[in-house]
Amino acid sequence: MCGIVGYVGKRTAQNVLLNGLKRLEYRGYDSAGIATLDDTDKPHIARSVGKIAELENVLLVKPHKGHLGIGHTRWATHGGVTVSNAHPHHVGDVYLVHNGIIENYKELKEQLSEYEFQSDTDTEVLAALIDSNYKNGISLKDAVAKALKKVRGTYGIAAFSPNEPGTIIVARLGSPLIIGLGQDETIIASDASALLGYTREAIYLNDGEIAVCTEKGAEVFNLNLKHLSPNPETIEGDVEQIQKGGYDHFLLKEIMEQATTLHNTLSGRIDPEQGKMHLGGPNLTAKEMRDINHIVIVGCGTAYYAGLLASYYMEQLIPDLTTEVVVASEYRYRSFHLPQNSVALIVSQSGETADTLACLREIKKRGVKTLGIVNVIGSTIAREVDGGTYVHAGPEISVASTKAFTAQVVTMVMFAGMLAEYHGGNVELIAKITKELSILPKEIEKTLKDHREDVKNLAKKYCKYNDALYLGRDTAYPIALEGALKLKEISYIHAEGYASGELKHGPIALVDETFFEVFNILDNWLFDKSIGGLHEVRARGGKAIVFTNSKAEIEADDIIRINSKIKILTPLLLNTLQQLFAYYVAVNRGNDVDQPRNLAKSVTVE
Ligand code: F6R
C-alpha cells in the first residue's frame, strides 16, 4: 500500500526521499512523487506513473537541490493511476502526501467550492481543507489540526508550506508514521525500513497525534494542540536485512533464510532438555493461564492459514480447550460472542492490516484479552494488544508472505505448549514438539538444500498449466490452502486449496488432464485415506505431484520425498518446498515475483 517519506536536514532531500521510497517499494504501488523546497524556499514537484525508476528519470532531467521534502508511493484507491492523481498534492500554500482514506471527502469537496481540483483523489481535498484553514496568520500545524478534526477516515500525512521553510508537519490516525531523529536531521517514514542506516532513534506517532518536525527533532501534540512528551524508541534491524543478499529476489532470500529467522523466533523460548516452552510476552498470570477455556485466532490470508495450522496443534496439546480460527474481514462485522475466559490471538506479519486491527478493537470491546502474534515491531496491532509475542522473522520485503508464516505457526505452537502446562496437557507430546522445534531450523535448511534443484525442475515442468488443486488432510490441510494461495498470488495460475476429503463433494468435477494437483501426504494414520484421493485424481487424467515424508510406494507423476527427523511438524517442511515451487513457477512465467500485480504488502485499507 502507499508509503510516505519525509526529510529535513543537511543532505540533499531528493536523494534521501528516493532512497526511502525504494525501501518502501515492496509495499506495492503504482505511482510515485516528491515535493521539495529549494534553498530560496521555492517549491518543486516531480511525479510519475510506474516504478520509482520513472521518477528518477524525471529527476535526472530536472534535479531537486533542496534540503527539505516529502515523498510518496501511491497504491490507487480514489481515482486511476495517473500523474495528476499521484502525490504530493499541492493546493494553495500546502504540499501534502497522505496514506489512508478520507471517507467524507465528497462532502468536504462540496464545502470547498472555491477550489479548482486537479485530481480525483481524497488527498487533494484534504490539502484544500488544510489550505482553507491556513489563513489569518495561524501556523501550518494549527491549520492541519483544525482540518483533521473535520475528517472522517484514516490518515498518515506529511505536509509543508513555503511560508514555513524548515518545517514538516506530520499526523496519524490509523495509518503508521514514524519520526526518525538523527544528528541535525529528521527523517519521516510510514515504515521503519526507510529509516535504517540514518538513525536508530524514533518516535512512533500514536493515533490522534500531530508533530512539527525540523532538523533539530520533533514536537508532538494532540489535535487539541496539547503538548505531549513521547519517549523515543529504538528501531530494530539493519540495512543488510532489507537487501537481497546475493539472491535474485527477496522472495527467494526470505524462503532460503528461514533456518536463520526461525532460530531468532525460537531463541530463549524453548528448553528441549526439560521439554518445555516459554514465551515472555503474553503477560498472563498463572491463574489467567489456567482459566483460559477458549482461543480465537484472527488473521487474513497467510496469517489466517498459520492460525489454522496452529489450531490443530493446540487441540492436540490442550485437551480441555476449544479453538476457532476466523478470517478478520468477516469476523469484524459478525455479531460474535466469545465465552468468558477466552483469549484472542491476533496474527499479523505487518501489524497494520486494517481488518485484523478492526477485529482486535471489536474483541477488546467485548472485554476479551488480546495477544499479538506480530512480526513488525512497534506496529499498530503490537501497540494495541494487551500482550503478545513478536515472531522475530525480520523484515519481510517480498509481498508474498513466507518466513512469517513459519514463524507465526511456531510462535503459536510455543504459546500452546506453554498453555498446555497449565491445563494438564499431554506432557509427552509437549516434550516431543519441543524437541522437534529445537531441530526445526536445521531440518528446514536441509530440506531446502536437498530438494531445491528437484523443485526447480518440477516448476519448469508445470509452469505452463493454468489450473491447480492443492490437497491435504489434517495438519497438511492448512498448508494445502497456503500452497494454493502462494502459487496463485505470484504465478497468477488459478489454484485452489481443499481438504482432501472434500474432493468428492465438488472439486473433482474440475479434474482433467489440464489440471495438476499438489498432494501433501503425511506419514501418519491418515496416510491410506490421503492416497485414496490421489488415485481418484489420477483416474481422471489429472497430473499429481506429491510432497511427502512417507517412504511407502506412491503412484504419482512426480514425488518429492523429504527425509527428516521431524514428524509432528512435517507440514512446515513441506510448506517450504511449496513456497519454493511457487517461486520457481512464477520466475519461469516471467512474473514480478516480489511485487505481484494488484497486491500490496500491508493492506491498511478495507
Ligand atoms: C499472502 C499474504 C497475505 C497476508 C495478509 C495478512 O502471501 O502475504 O495473504 O498474509 O494480507 O497480512 P498481515 O500478516 O500483514 O496481517
Side-chain angles (χ1 to χ4, degrees):
M1 298 257 133
C2 308
I4 288 178
V5 185
Y7 179 79
V8 48
K10 303 267 182 283
R11 304 180 206 233
T12 305
Q14 167 190 303
N15 301 342
V16 182
L17 298 175
L18 285 173
N19 192 22
L21 292 179
K22 280 185 198 158
R23 302 239 188 115
L24 302 185
E25 275 194 298
Y26 77 96
R27 298 170 65 90
Y29 68 103
D30 39 49
S31 55
I34 65 168
T36 59
L37 264 188
D38 70 19
D39 293 343
T40 64
D41 303 334
K42 192 165 170 239
H44 303 267
I45 291 195
R47 299 183 292 182
S48 68
V49 161
K51 297 285 177 196
I52 309 273
E54 300 299 326
L55 181 63
E56 281 180 311
N57 287 338
V58 174
L59 289 165
L60 214 56
V61 180
K62 232 176 150 200
H64 289 198
K65 299 208 171 79
H67 301 94
L68 175 147
I70 54 179
H72 192 260
T73 45
R74 173 175 187 254
W75 192 83
T77 55
H78 294 74
V81 181
T82 61
V83 170
S84 56
N85 285 337
H87 300 206
H89 287 282
H90 160 220
V91 179
D93 285 332
V94 175
Y95 291 75
L96 176 75
V97 291
H98 163 229
N99 287 354
I101 290 179
I102 306 300
E103 287 167 9
N104 57 337
Y105 82 102
K106 280 196 182 137
E107 210 174 297
L108 293 169
K109 198 169 185 175
E110 274 167 25
Q111 293 162 20
L112 294 161
S113 52
E114 70 273 28
Y115 288 94
E116 228 175 78
F117 290 95
Q118 312 295 320
S119 78
D120 312 314
T121 65
D122 51 340
T123 303
E124 195 187 9
V125 176
L126 178 58
L129 184 63
I130 296 170
D131 186 67
S132 71
N133 284 291
Y134 192 27
K135 308 249 181 291
N136 311 321
I138 76 166
S139 68
L140 183 60
K141 172 194 73 170
D142 292 7
V144 169
K146 242 176 153 177
L148 291 179
K149 283 185 168 178
K150 296 183 188 144
V151 154
R152 230 179 28 245
T154 55
Y155 54 79
I157 60 163
F160 72 79
S161 164
N163 302 335
E164 297 178 47
T167 304
I168 299 174
I169 307 295
V170 297
R172 90 159 255 178
L173 185 74
S175 191
L177 252 197
I178 309 163
I179 305 166
L181 306 169
Q183 187 70 39
D184 291 330
E185 60 183 357
T186 298
I187 308 116
I188 295 145
S190 52
D191 183 322
S193 61
L195 305 180
L196 294 178
Y198 293 105
T199 177
R200 286 207 169 274
E201 210 188 333
I203 295 171
Y204 285 78
L205 220 55
N206 290 312
D207 278 351
E209 290 179 355
I210 178 169
V212 180
C213 305
T214 65
E215 64 174 14
K216 294 293 172 210
E219 279 192 282
V220 180
F221 305 84
N222 66 18
L223 287 191
N224 293 324
L225 302 178
K226 180 171 177 282
H227 197 274
L228 307 169
S229 310
N231 286 330
E233 297 177 37
T234 305
I235 305 169
E236 309 246 334
D238 51 48
V239 179
E240 231 171 61
Q241 284 180 307
I242 55 166
Q243 287 166 347
K244 285 187 193 146
Y247 288 97
D248 288 345
H249 298 99
F250 282 109
L251 188 61
L252 184 59
K253 174 183 175 241
E254 286 161 11
I255 294 169
M256 298 306 290
E257 75 184 3
Q258 288 183 89
T260 314
T261 55
L262 198 51
H263 185 77
N264 297 335
T265 308
L266 292 165
S267 180
R269 293 166 165 180
I270 51 167
D271 180 347
E273 299 306 316
Q274 301 288 319
K276 285 187 189 306
M277 314 180 207
H278 181 77
L279 296 178
N283 260 339
L284 298 168
T285 62
K287 180 173 178 332
E288 284 172 324
M289 289 292 269
R290 273 195 301 275
D291 285 349
I292 296 173
N293 58 6
H294 182 74
I295 293 194
V296 57
I297 307 178
V298 184
C300 295
T302 290
Y304 166 74
Y305 296 143
L308 193 58
L309 177 53
S311 73
Y312 280 71
Y313 293 119
M314 266 174 205
E315 286 168 359
Q316 290 174 23
L317 281 162
I318 319 165
D320 63 349
L321 191 87
T322 54
T323 59
E324 69 183 309
V325 190
V326 297
V327 170
S329 54
E330 280 297 308
Y331 202 58
R332 64 181 289 190
Y333 293 117
R334 275 168 56 182
S335 316
F336 65 85
H337 308 284
L338 286 166
Q340 237 194 346
N341 299 326
S342 296
V343 158
L345 300 187
I346 312 295
V347 191
S348 176
Q349 188 286 126
S350 63
E352 302 293 348
T353 301
D355 286 321
T356 312
L357 181 59
C359 270
L360 158 64
R361 290 174 179 161
E362 283 300 319
I363 291 169
K364 280 182 97 169
K365 270 192 215 156
R366 286 154 169 89
V368 167
K369 271 235 151 97
T370 54
L371 303 180
I373 306 292
V374 173
N375 190 34
V376 176
I377 294 169
S379 55
T380 308
I381 291 177
R383 299 165 94 76
E384 291 200 14
V385 284
D386 299 305
T389 301
Y390 285 117
V391 305
H392 291 309
E396 197 179 61
I397 305 292
S398 195
V399 164
S401 190
T402 51
K403 60 178 181 170
F405 173 88
T406 310
Q408 286 160 348
V409 175
V410 163
T411 305
M412 284 185 271
V413 167
M414 288 191 287
F415 176 69
M418 177 171 81
L419 191 58
E421 297 258 349
Y422 293 87
H423 285 251
N426 182 337
V427 178
E428 209 177 306
L429 183 64
I430 301 172
K432 263 193 198 157
I433 294 185
T434 311
K435 206 144 216 121
E436 287 204 0
L437 286 174
S438 71
I439 58 168
L440 190 59
K442 275 223 140 30
E443 293 293 306
I444 284 187
E445 191 173 18
K446 178 176 173 298
T447 304
L448 286 167
K449 195 162 157 249
D450 288 354
H451 301 289
R452 185 168 166 187
E453 276 311 304
D454 299 344
V455 171
K456 203 171 170 178
N457 291 333
L458 210 59
K460 210 177 264 168
K461 181 169 168 188
Y462 289 97
C463 67
K464 298 253 159 60
Y465 280 72
N466 289 323
D467 301 281
L469 273 184
Y470 277 65
L471 299 150
R473 270 181 189 274
D474 192 56
T475 47
Y477 165 51
I479 64 154
L481 297 173
E482 169 60 9
L485 176 63
K486 215 80 321 166
L487 187 75
K488 81 178 85 164
E489 69 183 327
I490 58 173
S491 75
Y492 317 142
I493 291 177
H494 163 234
E496 293 185 50
Y498 271 99
S500 302
E502 281 289 292
L503 244 190
K504 288 198 204 62
H505 298 286
I508 200 160
L510 292 171
V511 174
D512 62 19
E513 62 287 350
T514 67
F515 262 70
F516 75 86
E517 286 76 23
V518 176
F519 283 85
N520 286 286
I521 298 183
L522 300 175
D523 182 19
N524 66 12
W525 78 104
L526 288 169
F527 178 80
D528 290 337
K529 288 189 190 289
S530 306
I531 291 293
L534 178 64
H535 291 159
E536 287 157 15
V537 160
R538 295 196 82 225
R540 283 154 186 87
K543 295 275 173 294
I545 303 172
V546 171
F547 290 111
T548 186
N549 63 336
S550 166
K551 294 194 170 56
E553 204 170 302
I554 298 174
E555 276 179 39
D557 294 277
D558 291 281
I559 304 187
I560 301 228
R561 289 180 198 272
I562 59 167
N563 179 13
S564 166
K565 292 180 204 130
I566 298 277
K567 292 276 169 274
I568 304 164
L569 300 175
T570 299
L572 289 175
L573 297 180
L574 299 182
N575 188 52
T576 58
L577 297 182
Q578 293 190 145
Q579 295 171 343
L580 214 49
F581 178 68
Y583 168 75
Y584 282 120
V585 170
V587 169
N588 273 300
R589 290 167 75 100
N591 293 355
D592 183 348
V593 289
D594 281 334
Q595 289 163 39
R597 68 183 183 205
N598 306 338
L599 293 179
K601 183 66 185 162
S602 165
V603 185
T604 49
V605 294
E606 249 192 289

